[in-house]
Amino acid sequence: GESVGLHLPTLSVQEGDNSIINCAYSNSASDYFIWYKQESGKGPQFIIDIRSNMDKRQGQRVTVLLNKTVKHLSLQIAATQPGDSAVYFCAENTGGFKTIFGAGTRLFVKA
Amino acid sequence: KAGVTQTPRYLIKTRGQQVTLSCSPISGHRSVSWYQQTPGQGLQFLFEYFSETQRNKGNFPGRFSGRQFSNSRSEMNVSTLELGDSALYLCASTGEGRYEQYFGPGTRLTVT
């Protein structure tokens, strides 16, 4: 069935290091991909998105890379801070007014 | 601009009862989606509404239903509650022509 998955369920990084969170998707027809951050007790929060006609997009301290050939998505966080500790979800929009979320990766930032 | 609000934030029900959850989207957003979040299944899509019409639904039993009002506020209802319905129910709104969703804090439902 449809799925958007993650390679690593947990990731632990040192404060100040860069973080890379990976995601594999299965629907090659998806045209829009989004990363969300969910902190404890809160709903997911939009971080950054990318359309399928792009392979890279940068935001403030974050970069999303899309490799359509291998159906892989990654989120890079530069100079990771304790406030970045959260669960990160990749999601894909299939164009049918439906967004499919991955399982999530928990990021731990060590001070 | 106020964010997405959901009420109630916490709810405890017993098996067999029914429950109604409410969601108010960001002002101007007409698309509202609902998700069920559990530790084991992650975020599962329930349904999406736009201008009072359900445009898509996920793979949930008919006990799960929803509706949207003319002011874009939405409700979801779960009838004949089961223990497995215990979850965080999230509502998200989206602006027209956009894909990114803005989530509320969720309603934590516990079924005993």
Side-chain angles (χ1 to χ4, degrees), chain A:
Chain A
E2 299 171 325
S3 67
V4 177
L6 294 166
H7 295 309
L8 298 173
T10 61
L11 178 65
S12 184
V13 300
Q14 198 69 38
E15 181 180 0
D17 287 351
N18 296 334
S19 303
I20 300 176
I21 300 171
N22 296 302
C23 175
Y25 64 93
S26 60
N27 190 340
S28 57
S30 293
D31 62 1
Y32 190 79
F33 303 88
I34 313 154
W35 281 98
Y36 291 91
K37 170 188 180 183
Q38 186 175 27
E39 297 173 281
S40 182
K42 298 182 180 179
Q45 176 186 5
F46 170 80
I47 302 173
I48 192 169
D49 56 9
I50 189 168
R51 289 193 178 275
S52 60
N53 61 355
M54 303 170 69
D55 53 21
K56 180 179 180 179
R57 190 168 187 212
Q58 289 184 289
Q60 188 175 13
R61 280 201 309 119
V62 294
T63 300
V64 56
L65 299 177
L66 175 63
N67 185 330
K68 294 181 290 293
T69 302
V70 295
K71 290 188 283 188
H72 183 267
L73 193 67
S74 69
L75 177 70
Q76 300 178 1
I77 305 173
T80 313
Q81 302 168 0
D84 294 328
S85 293
V87 176
Y88 289 81
F89 294 94
C90 63
E92 66 179 307
N93 187 284
T94 61
F97 315 114
K98 176 179 178 179
T99 299
I100 299 170
F101 283 77
T105 292
R106 184 172 297 280
L107 176 64
F108 291 104
V109 181
K110 297 176 287 187

